[in-house]
């Protein structure tokens, strides 16, 4: 089994989205300055004896054109080079979208659904409650401001979704982990590599090492605060049980240390 990290570019946003109230006002500083952050986005490609799996897709190539509503283009702009598109990243290891058997979308927020149209031939896994929320959110009103971080075109992508609502083994050495907090449901992943060891990918259930702690710090974008803290404890327990490292989804410092495709972990 080989695991590749695919570089999907940069997303920028207020630090308050990443950590709730990072710099609150006080008597001594009634108007604190916001901090603007640049965060990495990446996907995970796994070559396994049973097939090829792709975990998360980044932003859509047309996100900053007409795919995303204007307010999201301003609140959380993404910077994508052509090299950052999933199809181009796959070329680094000699593959194309048609070579992918399974796509796991950790959750259906706009910076994880990317070029889903390219993979309508694949089996697509999503968390059931997240899919239900995305579907309802994007169809209850014509106003994109009410959709949260979901994009209607992503939810309506051609293809069929396999809905997951409990932990499961996908292939030998690859487990899907159901998490909560950031959205109503997120699919994390535990990968057991022979040489490197075990890795937990929590996706946006835990943005960065800063969120993980200790002590854990709640993100600013959150569906269920109590669910978030349950998720942190679940990931801690799994990390201890499997002696696993945690690869956070948007941690700039950790991302610098990752091997990127065509290099791999095995």
């Amino acid at each position: 089994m080989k695991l590749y990290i695919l570089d999907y570019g940069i997303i920028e946003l207020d630090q308050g989205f990443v950590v709730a109230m990072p710099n609150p006002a006080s008597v001594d500083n009634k108007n604190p300055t916001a901090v603007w952050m640049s965060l990495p986005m990446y996907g995970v490609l796994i070559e396994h004896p049973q097939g090829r799996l792709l975990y998360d897709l980044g932003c859509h190539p047309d996100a900053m054109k007409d795919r995303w509503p204007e307010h999201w283009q301003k609140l959380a702009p993404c910077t994508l080079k052509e090299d950052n598109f999933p199809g181009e990243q796959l070329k680094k290891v000699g593959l194309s979208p048609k070579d992918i058997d399974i796509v796991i979308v950790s959750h259906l927020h706009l910076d994880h659904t990317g070029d889903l149209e390219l993979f309508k031939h694949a089996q697509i896994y999503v968390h059931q409650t997240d899919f239900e929320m995305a579907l309802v959110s994007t169809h209850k009103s014509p106003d994109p401001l009410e959709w949260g971080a979901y994009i209607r075109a992503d939810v309506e992508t051609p293809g069929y979704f396999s809905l997951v609502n409990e932990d499961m083994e996908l292939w030998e050495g690859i487990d899907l982990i159901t998490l909560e907090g950031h959205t109503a449901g997120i699919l994390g992943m535990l990968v057991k590599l022979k040489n490197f060891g075990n890795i937990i990918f929590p996706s946006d259930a835990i943005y960065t090492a800063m969120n993980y702690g200790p002590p854990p710090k709640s993100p600013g974008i959150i569906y269920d605060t109590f669910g978030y803290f349950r998720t942190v404890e679940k990931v801690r327990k799994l990390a201890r049980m499997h002696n696993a490292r945690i690869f956070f989804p948007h941690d700039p410092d950790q991302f610098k240390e990752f091997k990127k495709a065509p290099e791999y972990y095995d």
Side-chain angles (χ1 to χ4, degrees), residues 104-122:
I104 301 166
V105 181
S106 65
H107 61 301
L108 289 160
H109 278 178
L110 71 183
D111 57 326
H112 292 263
T113 47
D115 255 348
L116 197 52
E117 297 97 319
L118 297 178
F119 302 96
K120 59 185 179 181
H121 63 281

Side-chain angles (χ1 to χ4, degrees), residues 101-226:
D101 302 296
I102 287 179
V103 173
I104 301 166
V105 181
S106 65
H107 61 301
L108 289 160
H109 278 178
L110 71 183
D111 57 326
H112 292 263
T113 47
D115 255 348
L116 197 52
E117 297 97 319
L118 297 178
F119 302 96
K120 59 185 179 181
H121 63 281
Q123 191 170 4
I124 302 170
Y125 286 82
V126 298
H127 195 292
Q128 181 170 337
T129 53
D130 180 63
F131 174 69
E132 291 169 352
M133 175 171 283
L135 195 64
V136 170
S137 298
T138 56
H139 287 76
K140 70 180 182 181
S141 166
D143 184 1
L145 286 171
E146 296 190 25
W147 300 353
Y150 299 111
I151 301 297
R152 184 166 181 165
D154 295 340
V155 181
E156 295 178 342
T157 296
Y160 295 96
F161 292 159
S162 297
L163 305 179
V164 179
N165 55 26
E166 60 184 5
D167 296 358
M168 61 175 285
E169 182 182 64
L170 189 63
W171 289 331
E172 183 179 357
I174 302 175
D175 296 341
L176 294 184
I177 308 165
T178 53
L179 304 172
E180 55 182 331
H182 177 66
T183 72
I186 291 182
L187 294 182
M189 184 169 64
L190 169 63
V191 182
K192 302 169 185 175
L193 296 170
K194 180 178 179 180
N195 295 316
F196 183 77
N198 302 331
I199 306 173
I200 295 173
F201 295 94
S203 186
D204 286 10
I206 309 174
Y207 280 139
T208 68
M210 184 191 309
N211 296 103
Y212 190 56
K217 297 180 181 179
S218 172
I221 300 177
I222 191 141
Y223 169 78
D224 179 353
T225 304
F226 292 108

Side-chain angles (χ1 to χ4, degrees), residues 46-68:
I46 297 177
E47 291 192 312
H48 188 278
Q50 290 181 243
R52 297 187 180 96
L53 174 158
L54 184 60
Y55 179 79
D56 274 344
L57 298 169
C59 298
H60 194 278
D62 295 330
M64 300 301 293
K65 298 176 183 177
D66 55 7
R67 182 80 170 196
W68 289 9

Side-chain angles (χ1 to χ4, degrees), residues 3-9 41-46 53-58 89 112 189 201 249 255 258-259 261:
L3 184 152
Y4 301 85
I5 301 292
L6 307 184
D7 183 352
Y8 289 157
M41 299 179 292
Y42 70 88
V44 179
L45 167 68
I46 297 177
L53 174 158
L54 184 60
Y55 179 79
D56 274 344
L57 298 169
Q89 285 290 303
H112 292 263
M189 184 169 64
F201 295 94
F255 185 74
F258 288 162
K259 295 180 182 179

